[in-house]
PDB file of all heavy atoms in Angstrom:
ATOM      1  N   ASP I 189     239.843 208.726 173.747  1.00 87.00           N
ATOM      2  CA  ASP I 189     240.407 207.403 174.018  1.00 87.00           C
ATOM      3  C   ASP I 189     239.945 206.835 175.318  1.00 87.00           C
ATOM      4  O   ASP I 189     240.725 206.464 176.198  1.00 87.00           O
ATOM      5  CB  ASP I 189     241.945 207.482 174.021  1.00 87.00           C
ATOM      6  CG  ASP I 189     242.564 206.144 174.070  1.00 87.00           C
ATOM      7  OD1 ASP I 189     241.958 205.181 173.689  1.00 87.00           O
ATOM      8  OD2 ASP I 189     243.768 206.027 174.489  1.00 87.00           O
ATOM      9  N   PHE I 190     238.638 206.749 175.551  1.00 89.00           N
ATOM     10  CA  PHE I 190     238.075 206.105 176.728  1.00 89.00           C
ATOM     11  C   PHE I 190     236.613 205.641 176.503  1.00 89.00           C
ATOM     12  O   PHE I 190     235.982 206.048 175.437  1.00 89.00           O
ATOM     13  CB  PHE I 190     238.048 207.237 177.864  1.00 89.00           C
ATOM     14  CG  PHE I 190     237.401 208.575 177.514  1.00 89.00           C
ATOM     15  CD1 PHE I 190     236.053 208.652 177.454  1.00 89.00           C
ATOM     16  CD2 PHE I 190     238.135 209.629 176.991  1.00 89.00           C
ATOM     17  CE1 PHE I 190     235.393 209.928 177.256  1.00 89.00           C
ATOM     18  CE2 PHE I 190     237.626 210.717 176.731  1.00 89.00           C
ATOM     19  CZ  PHE I 190     236.234 210.891 176.738  1.00 89.00           C
ATOM     20  N   ASP I 191     236.120 204.747 177.292  1.00 87.00           N
ATOM     21  CA  ASP I 191     234.910 204.128 177.154  1.00 87.00           C
ATOM     22  C   ASP I 191     233.831 204.631 178.008  1.00 87.00           C
ATOM     23  O   ASP I 191     232.595 204.595 177.727  1.00 87.00           O
ATOM     24  CB  ASP I 191     234.936 202.544 177.434  1.00 87.00           C
ATOM     25  CG  ASP I 191     236.017 201.971 176.488  1.00 87.00           C
ATOM     26  OD1 ASP I 191     235.863 202.052 175.292  1.00 87.00           O
ATOM     27  OD2 ASP I 191     236.873 201.214 177.006  1.00 87.00           O
ATOM     28  N   LYS I 192     234.276 205.236 179.166  1.00 89.00           N
ATOM     29  CA  LYS I 192     233.265 205.850 180.141  1.00 89.00           C
ATOM     30  C   LYS I 192     233.969 207.168 180.595  1.00 89.00           C
ATOM     31  O   LYS I 192     235.056 207.222 180.880  1.00 89.00           O
ATOM     32  CB  LYS I 192     233.113 204.982 181.359  1.00 89.00           C
ATOM     33  CG  LYS I 192     232.303 203.680 180.964  1.00 89.00           C
ATOM     34  CD  LYS I 192     230.928 203.971 180.654  1.00 89.00           C
ATOM     35  CE  LYS I 192     230.080 202.716 180.333  1.00 89.00           C
ATOM     36  NZ  LYS I 192     228.711 203.027 179.984  1.00 89.00           N
ATOM     37  N   LEU I 193     233.010 208.095 180.793  1.00 91.00           N
ATOM     38  CA  LEU I 193     233.422 209.410 181.302  1.00 91.00           C
ATOM     39  C   LEU I 193     232.599 209.728 182.576  1.00 91.00           C
ATOM     40  O   LEU I 193     231.446 209.655 182.656  1.00 91.00           O
ATOM     41  CB  LEU I 193     233.224 210.501 180.255  1.00 91.00           C
ATOM     42  CG  LEU I 193     233.580 211.973 180.721  1.00 91.00           C
ATOM     43  CD1 LEU I 193     235.114 211.988 180.912  1.00 91.00           C
ATOM     44  CD2 LEU I 193     233.189 212.950 179.692  1.00 91.00           C
ATOM     45  N   VAL I 194     233.437 209.717 183.742  1.00 92.00           N
ATOM     46  CA  VAL I 194     232.814 210.012 185.013  1.00 92.00           C
ATOM     47  C   VAL I 194     233.108 211.287 185.362  1.00 92.00           C
ATOM     48  O   VAL I 194     234.178 212.050 185.154  1.00 92.00           O
ATOM     49  CB  VAL I 194     233.392 209.043 186.113  1.00 92.00           C
ATOM     50  CG1 VAL I 194     232.742 209.311 187.389  1.00 92.00           C
ATOM     51  CG2 VAL I 194     233.070 207.543 185.714  1.00 92.00           C
ATOM     52  N   ALA I 195     232.070 212.077 185.999  1.00 92.00           N
ATOM     53  CA  ALA I 195     232.210 213.522 186.478  1.00 92.00           C
ATOM     54  C   ALA I 195     231.619 213.716 187.793  1.00 92.00           C
ATOM     55  O   ALA I 195     230.670 213.015 188.204  1.00 92.00           O
ATOM     56  CB  ALA I 195     231.608 214.442 185.377  1.00 92.00           C
ATOM     57  N   THR I 196     232.226 214.617 188.515  1.00 92.00           N
ATOM     58  CA  THR I 196     231.598 215.072 189.810  1.00 92.00           C
ATOM     59  C   THR I 196     230.541 216.111 189.519  1.00 92.00           C
ATOM     60  O   THR I 196     230.642 216.905 188.458  1.00 92.00           O
ATOM     61  CB  THR I 196     232.738 215.606 190.688  1.00 92.00           C
ATOM     62  OG1 THR I 196     233.394 216.631 190.066  1.00 92.00           O
ATOM     63  CG2 THR I 196     233.713 214.622 191.127  1.00 92.00           C
ATOM     64  N   PRO I 197     229.571 216.291 190.331  1.00 91.00           N
ATOM     65  CA  PRO I 197     228.468 217.273 190.136  1.00 91.00           C
ATOM     66  C   PRO I 197     228.915 218.653 189.819  1.00 91.00           C
ATOM     67  O   PRO I 197     228.323 219.418 189.014  1.00 91.00           O
ATOM     68  CB  PRO I 197     227.615 217.122 191.266  1.00 91.00           C
ATOM     69  CG  PRO I 197     227.875 215.716 191.826  1.00 91.00           C
ATOM     70  CD  PRO I 197     229.348 215.451 191.595  1.00 91.00           C
ATOM     71  N   ASP I 198     230.009 219.096 190.595  1.00 90.00           N
ATOM     72  CA  ASP I 198     230.430 220.435 190.451  1.00 90.00           C
ATOM     73  C   ASP I 198     231.180 220.777 189.091  1.00 90.00           C
ATOM     74  O   ASP I 198     231.296 221.909 188.661  1.00 90.00           O
ATOM     75  CB  ASP I 198     231.440 220.898 191.539  1.00 90.00           C
ATOM     76  CG  ASP I 198     232.648 219.821 191.529  1.00 90.00           C
ATOM     77  OD1 ASP I 198     232.458 218.697 191.422  1.00 90.00           O
ATOM     78  OD2 ASP I 198     233.729 220.457 191.684  1.00 90.00           O
ATOM     79  N   MET I 199     231.454 219.615 188.314  1.00 89.00           N
ATOM     80  CA  MET I 199     232.142 219.870 187.083  1.00 89.00           C
ATOM     81  C   MET I 199     231.068 219.816 185.809  1.00 89.00           C
ATOM     82  O   MET I 199     231.445 220.117 184.636  1.00 89.00           O
ATOM     83  CB  MET I 199     233.187 218.904 186.875  1.00 89.00           C
ATOM     84  CG  MET I 199     234.288 218.903 187.857  1.00 89.00           C
ATOM     85  SD  MET I 199     235.226 220.422 187.773  1.00 89.00           S
ATOM     86  CE  MET I 199     235.930 220.316 186.108  1.00 89.00           C
ATOM     87  N   MET I 200     229.834 219.452 186.129  1.00 90.00           N
ATOM     88  CA  MET I 200     228.874 219.313 185.060  1.00 90.00           C
ATOM     89  C   MET I 200     228.555 220.544 184.181  1.00 90.00           C
ATOM     90  O   MET I 200     228.528 220.429 183.108  1.00 90.00           O
ATOM     91  CB  MET I 200     227.605 218.666 185.657  1.00 90.00           C
ATOM     92  CG  MET I 200     227.617 217.193 185.973  1.00 90.00           C
ATOM     93  SD  MET I 200     228.157 216.266 184.490  1.00 90.00           S
ATOM     94  CE  MET I 200     226.826 216.405 183.495  1.00 90.00           C
TER      95      MET I 200
END
Side-chain angles (χ1 to χ4, degrees):
D189 189 23
F190 51 85
D191 302 308
K192 291 292 179 181
L193 180 63
V194 179
T196 54
D198 60 314
M199 297 299 293
M200 285 304 296

